[in-house]
Amino acid sequence: MDNLRFDVVKEAFRKRPVKLEVTNERPSEQFGKYVFSRDKMYKYLPVDIFNKMMDVMENGERLDRSIADGVANGMKKWAKDHGATHYTHWFQPLTEGTAEKHDSFIESDGKGGMIEEFSGKLLVQQEPDASSFPSGGIRNTFEARGYSAWDPTSPVFIIDDTLCIPTIFISYTGEALDYKAPLLRSLRAVNNAAKEVCQYFYPDVKKVHTNLGWEQEYFLVDEDLFFARPDLMLTGRTLMGHDSAKNQQMDDHYFGTIPERVQAFMKDLEIHSLELGIPVKTRHNEVAPGQFELAPIFEECNLAVDHNMLLMALMKKVAHRHSFRVLLHEKPFAGINGSGKHNNWSLSTDTGILLHKSGKNTNDNLRFVVFIVETLMGVYKHNGLLKASVMSATNDHRLGANEAPPAIISSFLGRQITDLLEHIEKADKQNLFTVKGKQGIHLDIPEIPELLIDNTDRNRTSPFAFTGNRFEFRAVGSEANCASSLIVLNTAVAEALTNFKQRVDALTEQGEDQMSAIIEIIRQDIKTCKPIHFDGNGYSDESVQMFEAMNVMKRNELKARNEVKWETYTKKIQIEARVMGDLAMNHIIPVVTHYQSRLAKNVSSMIDIFGKEEGERLTARNVKILRDIAEHIQAIETGVDELVEARKIANKIDCQREKAIAYHDIITPKMEEIRQHIDKLELIVSDEMWTLPKYRELLFIR
């Protein structure tokens, strides 16, 4: 039996970097080259239209459709100047990816010819077919109509010859079929709630921004090796494969010298990212071999989410140019670290960051405590929903392992903040503060003036850790849309702040001083959220009420997303199970049987040459191997048969939730049992006969 694996591996290790075009441009000069940014708008739009667009983008004013034609005309001129011939509405359906339908600028001139045209109507709204996108039952398959609507707060950009317009995606009856629409609603909810609480301390605050800084982890594998692994191609992870003798145990890959081929890929990716306005800043080797990380400068949340979705698509495209494949699966290889996408979340106003430990004055410090505690209240109250927002068939393999936080959502604050909150909780209320007229308040808390630096280590095991001026939500998976978890977090915090203000106002209406009321409610909430733990149903009536009260999602939209998550989980495990069965029966067993036959011939020949007694003594090891192989083959064949039958039973379950549970509790364990036998056979069968690239070849880039 010929084995092409060695030729594939040899070719992969011979790869050289793609030669990059030399450019004299600095990163700051490349930034935003293909983005219709504010400076481009100023150049291509009439002054009055430009000013109205700034009102929309900066002040949240409703888009006046009367200016749409003028904006579209300026966009078209700019796009044509950069060689664009097509446009598309770029949106984020519930598939974890992005979607686009390209149309050319040409229209009939009514005289048998063509003209290039792009109207405000085409800019603002399109009607893509909604029937084939996940809807969780909101839309029937025969109800095709859906609408994409321009999001003017996220700038349009050009990829190749296409003008890409970020949009929301809704059904004919108005329900959100995407991530962006509820994300925008959640951002509005946070702004409204946080602004009112801010005005207790700073009456001039007009707007609160939500900021996001994501950290994208990923694996690179050689493209030739990728194509030699059907499981990687079809599922994004290796369904089988024994540990490499050396993997990450030496900790020598983390922050190590970046391999030459990877460096070339990273440089190319950075150039394209900067041209599309993605402010990439950090690159480095991650803990596992073949694993890397890229992180940008913090941005406004909606824009940051768009940029992350754009980057993930861009990574795959650029990697192909360098003969790599990007793996965004949270756990593509067993036995080594998986990949996450840490979401660094914060709130800010035009006066500063709300979670910043400034220590400048008592007013600032009390404001800091309020926003820390109410964020914790949101996490405490909707812990289960936050957990549900990051769970998936792929992230399930990563959460709870040594390299990732546990699936139960808890928060790490550090000793200084913890001590501060305990002091506020336990101190005598009468002696905790005194009001000094227009000068504000004086707090009897010696720790507060010292909130200047981070004096505690980071806790890498905490799913939701406070890291100086932000919370780091570390449970988000590598290939996930950041918006999924941020919709929940934003809404939960908005609800907590709204509830906080209602209770404070109720006390002041009873005659209590406002600052006294603030501290009284904070003391209550510190006690309430202290034991953050999972104790609820993520889709309970309480959670539905939160989304509805904050005008983020209606009950049927939330129910639909729940259905989509269950269905997606089932489908991913279903594909993995089918691929595993195919690989086991059509790749592994034929190779193993061939090796078994070779060993059997060796035993038979030795007995013929040396006689029965001496021959059996000399071939005892091979006989044991033959027996082991036979047992593993039998276990695999039985396991695959049981796997198929279990799948048939599970597929008959009508309830999507129950079906997903069956796949998790029954199908997945059966797959793991089959894998154990295959991985042991990998160590037994002759290396020259094993057809699938092994971990030692996949993980280490030459």
Side-chain angles (χ1 to χ4, degrees):
M1 179 180 288
D2 293 332
N3 183 4
L4 298 177
R5 177 175 131 250
F6 289 121
D7 291 334
V8 171
V9 172
K10 187 165 62 175
E11 181 61 27
F13 287 171
R14 234 189 347 243
K15 290 282 170 59
R16 292 291 180 266
V18 174
K19 187 175 181 180
L20 293 178
E21 296 179 9
V22 178
T23 174
N24 293 323
E25 288 184 307
R26 304 297 301 164
S28 57
E29 297 169 332
Q30 296 166 339
F31 187 73
K33 182 177 181 180
Y34 296 115
V35 179
F36 196 54
S37 52
R38 283 170 170 77
D39 59 327
K40 314 280 179 45
M41 290 182 187
Y42 187 77
K43 178 179 178 181
Y44 283 88
L45 300 181
V47 173
D48 60 329
I49 293 179
F50 171 81
N51 290 335
K52 289 181 179 179
M53 277 299 298
M54 291 305 100
D55 262 352
V56 172
M57 296 172 67
E58 295 176 359
N59 304 320
E61 295 295 322
R62 183 176 292 277
L63 177 69
D64 182 354
R65 291 189 70 139
S66 66
I67 69 169
D69 281 334
V71 175
N73 188 51
M75 274 187 191
K76 185 189 72 173
K77 287 179 181 177
W78 170 75
K80 285 177 63 179
D81 286 349
H82 286 82
T85 57
H86 289 66
Y87 66 93
T88 184
H89 275 200
W90 182 81
F91 58 96
Q92 301 167 29
L94 303 178
T95 59
E96 301 294 342
T98 57
E100 52 197 63
K101 175 175 71 76
H102 296 205
D103 288 303
S104 69
F105 286 129
I106 61 171
E107 298 285 347
S108 170
D109 65 358
K111 303 174 183 177
M114 291 288 179
I115 58 172
E116 292 191 2
E117 191 61 70
F118 182 55
S119 66
K121 180 181 177 182
L122 296 175
L123 166 65
V124 171
Q125 180 178 311
Q126 276 195 332
E127 187 182 327
D129 187 340
S131 62
S132 296
F133 290 104
S135 70
I138 284 181
R139 305 291 289 153
N140 294 312
T141 9
F142 61 84
E143 296 174 319
R145 185 162 290 174
Y147 296 104
S148 53
W150 176 36
D151 170 19
T153 63
S154 184
V156 303
F157 53 92
I158 294 172
I159 293 183
D160 297 327
D161 65 351
T162 304
L163 177 69
C164 300
I165 304 160
T167 65
I168 64 169
F169 183 46
I170 59 174
S171 72
Y172 177 72
T173 45
E175 293 91 354
L177 297 175
D178 69 341
Y179 284 102
K180 181 182 276 282
L183 176 65
L184 291 173
R185 294 174 194 154
S186 75
L187 294 172
R188 187 185 307 117
V190 170
N191 172 43
N192 292 339
K195 179 175 62 179
E196 291 192 347
V197 173
C198 268
Q199 289 171 350
Y200 283 143
F201 310 98
Y202 309 105
D204 294 336
V205 168
K206 297 294 190 293
K207 187 173 183 179
V208 174
H209 306 274
T210 303
N211 306 309
L212 171 64
W214 41 262
E215 303 168 31
Q216 181 70 59
E217 295 175 345
Y218 62 95
F219 280 86
L220 287 176
V221 296
D222 190 275
E223 198 164 51
D224 290 337
L225 300 180
F226 173 84
F227 285 124
R229 289 289 305 231
D231 49 353
L232 271 181
M233 288 175 58
L234 298 175
T235 72
R237 76 178 180 108
T238 53
L239 299 177
M240 55 197 67
H242 200 279
D243 286 350
S244 171
K246 179 184 185 297
N247 47 52
Q248 67 183 51
Q249 62 266 62
M250 299 301 294
D251 299 321
D252 53 345
H253 187 70
Y254 190 53
F255 281 15
T257 302
I258 300 172
E260 185 182 13
R261 287 182 60 203
V262 177
Q263 181 93 337
F265 157 76
M266 288 178 167
K267 287 182 180 179
D268 203 3
L269 177 61
E270 286 177 359
I271 290 171
H272 286 287
S273 298
L274 290 168
E275 289 176 342
L276 289 170
I278 307 172
V280 292
K281 182 176 178 65
T282 301
R283 65 188 186 206
H284 63 81
N285 289 3
E286 255 301 332
V287 175
Q291 187 185 35
F292 307 93
E293 182 179 295
L294 179 150
I297 298 170
F298 277 57
E299 296 183 281
E300 185 276 326
C301 185
N302 177 45
L303 181 58
V305 169
D306 281 359
H307 279 166
N308 183 247
M309 297 303 293
L310 179 56
L311 176 93
M312 289 193 289
L314 190 60
M315 290 171 79
K316 296 173 183 177
K317 181 178 178 181
V318 174
H320 176 64
R321 291 184 53 195
H322 294 262
S323 300
F324 282 126
R325 283 286 167 151
V326 168
L327 303 182
L328 293 174
H329 192 292
E330 281 77 8
K331 196 77 169 177
F333 303 104
I336 63 172
N337 280 18
S339 296
K341 176 153 48 197
H342 303 172
N343 280 201
N344 294 278
W345 176 92
S346 67
L347 299 173
S348 64
T349 71
D350 49 349
T351 62
I353 301 172
L354 294 180
L355 301 177
H356 183 58
K357 305 191 296 285
S358 66
K360 292 179 181 177
N361 56 61
T362 307
N363 219 31
D364 276 347
N365 288 320
L366 184 56
R367 176 265 307 156
F368 166 74
V369 170
V370 166
F371 277 91
I372 287 287
V373 172
E374 294 313 311
T375 299
L376 294 178
M377 280 294 290
V379 174
Y380 169 75
K381 189 173 181 181
H382 297 287
N383 194 287
L385 197 56
L386 278 167
K387 177 183 175 181
S389 75
V390 300
M391 291 302 295
S392 67
T394 54
N395 205 24
D396 190 34
H397 294 281
R398 165 182 167 262
L399 291 178
N402 291 334
E403 81 278 4
I408 302 301
I409 306 298
S410 60
S411 184
F412 173 82
L413 299 177
R415 177 44 50 193
Q416 186 186 40
I417 307 302
T418 300
D419 289 347
L420 169 62
L421 298 187
E422 286 180 354
H423 183 95
I424 296 174
E425 175 193 351
K426 295 174 182 177
D428 179 8
K429 179 187 172 185
Q430 298 304 318
N431 297 323
L432 183 63
F433 71 97
T434 54
V435 179
K436 292 189 175 181
K438 293 183 179 180
Q439 297 177 17
I441 61 171
H442 171 71
L443 290 176
D444 179 27
I445 306 175
E447 292 89 346
I448 278 191
E450 299 172 7
L451 297 180
L452 297 173
I453 60 172
D454 295 322
N455 65 353
T456 184
D457 199 359
R458 293 178 63 196
N459 188 325
R460 294 183 58 82
T461 64
S462 172
F464 195 74
F466 184 68
T467 56
N469 57 9
R470 62 192 183 274
F471 282 95
E472 184 179 10
F473 195 4
R474 301 186 65 252
V476 183
S478 174
E479 70 177 356
N481 187 322
C482 298
S484 179
S485 57
L486 292 170
I487 290 166
V488 176
L489 178 58
N490 291 339
T491 310
V493 172
E495 183 194 52
L497 289 168
T498 299
N499 182 263
F500 169 80
K501 185 175 189 303
Q502 290 171 348
R503 289 180 292 149
V504 169
D505 290 350
L507 286 181
T508 57
E509 287 172 6
Q510 295 170 14
E512 188 157 356
D513 175 83
Q514 187 180 79
M515 286 301 155
S516 173
I518 288 173
I519 292 181
E520 174 58 30
I521 300 302
I522 279 297
R523 285 158 62 90
Q524 294 175 14
D525 287 352
I526 289 172
K527 293 176 183 177
T528 300
C529 69
K530 201 170 184 179
I532 289 182
H533 63 280
F534 174 62
D535 58 1
N537 177 355
Y539 291 94
S540 63
D541 284 341
E542 186 180 61
S543 295
V544 174
Q545 290 165 10
M546 174 191 75
F547 281 113
E548 290 186 326
M550 295 295 106
N551 296 314
V552 173
M553 279 191 283
K554 293 177 286 188
R555 178 178 291 269
N556 65 333
E557 289 176 311
L558 185 60
K559 182 180 177 183
R561 281 156 202 274
N562 195 15
E563 289 292 303
V564 169
K565 282 185 80 82
W566 291 123
E567 187 177 5
T568 301
Y569 181 92
T570 298
K571 286 180 177 178
K572 287 194 174 183
I573 304 300
Q574 188 179 67
I575 291 169
E576 289 187 354
R578 287 174 175 170
V579 172
M580 170 159 272
D582 174 61
L583 281 177
M585 302 307 293
N586 297 313
H587 286 250
I588 304 303
I589 287 183
V591 169
V592 174
T593 303
H594 185 68
Y595 181 64
Q596 187 182 37
S597 299
R598 180 185 290 185
L599 282 181
K601 287 179 182 178
N602 173 264
V603 171
S604 179
S605 298
M606 293 289 280
I607 291 174
D608 288 343
I609 294 171
F610 296 103
K612 186 174 185 300
E613 183 176 347
E614 182 67 6
E616 287 180 351
R617 184 183 68 80
L618 293 172
T619 59
R621 179 176 179 275
N622 284 355
V623 170
K624 182 182 182 303
I625 293 174
L626 283 169
R627 185 175 290 110
D628 290 344
I629 289 175
E631 290 175 356
H632 288 309
I633 289 176
Q634 184 178 19
I636 291 169
E637 290 175 337
T638 301
V640 171
D641 288 342
E642 291 177 353
L643 185 64
V644 172
E645 289 305 311
R647 232 174 38 235
K648 287 179 181 177
I649 294 171
N651 290 341
K652 292 178 182 178
I653 301 173
D654 291 329
C655 173
Q656 289 294 344
R657 179 178 182 274
E658 294 301 322
K659 185 186 293 187
I661 290 172
Y663 265 85
H664 178 273
D665 292 350
I666 300 170
I667 307 298
T668 300
K670 288 187 180 297
M671 291 170 60
E672 285 303 311
E673 289 174 11
I674 295 170
R675 175 176 187 152
Q676 288 176 14
H677 291 287
I678 293 174
D679 288 357
K680 287 183 178 176
L681 284 172
E682 182 182 321
L683 295 178
I684 294 173
V685 174
S686 170
D687 190 55
E688 66 177 349
M689 296 181 67
W690 196 261
T691 57
L692 299 177
K694 298 183 176 183
Y695 272 25
R696 67 171 185 259
E697 297 152 356
L698 290 165
L699 290 172
F700 298 97
I701 295 170
R702 270 64 169 187

